[in-house]
Amino acid sequence: MKYVTFDETRPLDLILLGRVAIDFNPAYNEQVKEEFKPLKDVHMFEKYVGGSPANIAVGVTRHGMKAGFIGKVSDDQFGDFVTEYFDKAGIDTSHITRCVNGEKLGLTFTEMLSPKESSILMYRNCIADLQLSVDDIDEDYIKSAKAILISGTALAESPSREAAIKAVMLAKKNDTKIIFDIDYREYNWKNADEISIYYSIVAKESDIIMGSREEFDLTEALIQPGRSDEESAAAWQSYNAKIVVIKHGMKGSTAYTCDGEKYSIKPFPVEARKGFGGGDGYGSGFLYGLYQGWEVIDCLEFGSAEASMMVRSNNCSDSLPGPDAVHAFIKEEKEKFGEMIARV
Ligand SMILES: Nc1ncnc2c1ncn2[C@@H]1O[C@H](COP(=O)(O)OP(=O)(O)O)[C@@H](O)[C@H]1O
Ligand SMILES: O=C(O)C[C@@H](O)[C@H](O)C(=O)COP(=O)(O)O
């Protein structure tokens, strides 16, 4: 059953709004292998385009979807690096602008301690992506896309906060579907109430909401703390949500649909290199399936497979697979572990 119908006449499949940044991951290649160790002991890093919405833009584009990005980058060579990477990937960069007051692109240093323990350290002072302003939001651009994905981190501060809300308002006006990836990054927020205020403003307008249990708890803190997954889904569906996806890390995830159904999936078992990156693979794969008109359970299986592929790898953006690789991975895993390996 189709819960969200996209306007097929629109040239862009998806616009993503939020941060594009740079990941520095411990080197792991033919020449240098930084084995699992604390970040302070890492000597060599590899540089990749990062930022969760940027990774999802890359992910969906590798699946053949046409994506555009609304964002702000630094006016320097790192700004060039991420924009050129997007251009090469085939992402529309016409609405990425450069900072004029010297703000810098975010840097994310990643720590890989063991297959089960990893973390990220963000350098985000004087940050470029949060300089996005209402003047950067163009109604015609939003109208040209089937959907817009708002990354919750864009709501952390002004002027980006107002820019994101303007984009949501214009999307609503023009029937551009709204996808909210709650995407909580602690470092960016100064006040817990603000998280709940701004997350809930966007969640109320969204057609699809994706987040972890912790992210839903933060969103609901000022409304009704302590909701169960079922209660959260029903509450957001009483506004505009058609699909609410709630993730529980290695325990699996569930999509709640507006007809009262729910569909659950578990991760595919893999030897992980890191924990982060899974969410971006999951989002890319799940959304691709939805645009193909697949059943929700198949979208979840595809997203979960792509997430498992991502946690195996040493980076996020470069490793995002195309659909053939994901199908091949699912086939291999099912041959090894059985048809129902990820399905609950
Ligand atoms: N060690 C792992 N092995 C396999 N899959 C994993 C592993 N860790 C995470 N995943 C997959 O990545 C998805 C997203 O991970 P999660 O931690 O919930 O979100 P995020 O990466 O956004 O913080 C999970 O739902 C799961 O499918
Ligand atoms: O999101 C960031 O700014 C950094 C990412 O590039 C990073 O590597 C990461 O954390 C991926 O996010 P996840 O898939 O939600 O774990």
Side-chain angles (χ1 to χ4, degrees):
M1 158 135 181
K2 266 196 181 178
Y3 296 98
V4 181
T5 312
F6 300 107
D7 179 347
E8 296 300 332
T9 63
R10 299 192 179 188
L12 282 178
D13 289 311
L14 182 63
I15 292 172
L16 299 100
L17 181 150
R19 77 189 170 288
V20 51
I22 301 185
D23 286 356
F24 285 96
N25 296 347
Y28 206 78
N29 54 50
E30 291 297 308
Q31 287 80 38
V32 187
K33 291 207 187 313
E34 294 279 8
E35 300 298 342
F36 291 120
K37 63 173 70 154
L39 185 56
K40 68 183 174 56
D41 297 331
V42 174
H43 179 60
M44 297 279 275
F45 290 90
E46 290 168 4
K47 160 172 145 280
Y48 296 96
V49 166
S52 180
N55 292 336
I56 299 177
V58 173
V60 296
T61 304
R62 295 238 165 95
H63 287 71
M65 289 169 59
K66 185 75 197 128
F69 203 89
I70 301 179
K72 206 93 181 168
V73 299
S74 49
D75 188 20
D76 58 20
Q77 288 199 44
F78 279 168
D80 296 339
F81 165 61
V82 298
T83 314
E84 284 170 17
Y85 185 90
F86 271 7
D87 283 334
K88 276 192 204 124
I91 297 161
D92 178 50
T93 56
S94 61
H95 287 70
I96 296 182
T97 52
R98 288 166 89 93
C99 290
V100 291
N101 295 309
E103 295 90 352
K104 299 292 176 233
L105 220 64
L107 307 180
T108 305
F109 296 88
T110 64
E111 180 180 62
M112 302 175 195
L113 278 177
S114 78
K116 290 199 165 68
E117 297 161 284
S118 57
S119 62
I120 59 176
L121 172 66
M122 296 184 124
Y123 276 48
R124 287 179 57 76
N125 293 339
C126 190
I127 186 69
D129 55 77
L130 293 179
Q131 306 313 313
L132 193 72
S133 87
V134 289
D135 295 335
D136 296 310
I137 309 301
D138 165 5
E139 182 165 3
D140 285 339
Y141 194 54
I142 290 176
K143 220 193 296 188
S144 73
K146 299 181 176 82
I148 184 163
L149 181 149
I150 306 290
S151 151
T153 298
L155 298 162
E157 257 179 40
S158 299
S160 168
R161 173 179 280 173
E162 289 76 16
I165 293 173
K166 178 178 172 186
V168 167
M169 292 171 78
L170 293 179
K172 204 89 222 159
K173 181 178 162 201
N174 290 287
D175 195 29
T176 302
K177 303 299 178 215
I178 301 166
I179 302 167
F180 184 34
D181 183 0
I182 303 178
D183 184 32
Y184 175 63
R185 293 286 186 268
E186 185 180 7
Y187 179 83
N188 297 273
W189 292 89
K190 297 186 180 74
N191 175 298
D193 284 355
E194 288 190 10
I195 303 175
S196 181
I197 292 167
Y198 290 100
Y199 278 177
S200 59
I201 287 175
V202 175
K204 278 180 188 165
E205 302 300 333
S206 298
D207 298 279
I208 300 172
I209 311 175
M210 303 190 290
S212 64
R213 182 64 251 169
E214 182 203 6
E215 289 173 330
F216 278 91
D217 287 342
L218 290 163
T219 309
E220 294 160 1
L222 287 179
I223 305 168
Q224 185 188 18
R227 278 182 186 157
S228 65
D229 290 354
E230 278 77 6
E231 287 168 340
S232 293
W236 299 114
Q237 283 162 355
S238 74
Y239 296 99
N240 285 288
K242 316 290 178 301
I243 304 177
V244 176
V245 178
I246 307 185
K247 294 183 274 178
H248 286 267
M250 280 306 288
K251 291 198 193 117
S253 52
T254 301
Y256 297 86
T257 50
C258 54
D259 55 358
E261 295 294 329
K262 63 176 186 175
Y263 306 88
S264 296
I265 200 84
K266 292 179 294 185
F268 285 84
V270 289
E271 180 71 13
R273 165 84 175 145
K274 57 177 173 42
F276 53 86
D280 300 337
Y282 188 102
S284 307
F286 178 76
L287 292 176
Y288 169 71
L290 221 54
Y291 275 76
Q292 301 307 299
W294 295 351
E295 294 298 327
V296 170
I297 187 64
D298 296 321
C299 302
L300 287 176
E301 185 178 71
F302 203 77
S304 176
E306 196 161 330
S308 292
M309 293 172 81
M310 290 307 296
V311 299
R312 271 197 319 196
S313 82
N314 195 52
N315 64 73
C316 295
S317 51
D318 273 19
S319 296
L320 281 155
D324 292 350
V326 185
H327 284 301
F329 173 83
I330 294 174
K331 184 166 175 278
E332 239 172 68
E333 291 273 304
K334 287 187 170 179
E335 278 165 9
K336 262 194 260 170
F337 301 108
E339 188 63 26
M340 297 303 285
I341 176 64
R343 298 196 180 215
V344 176

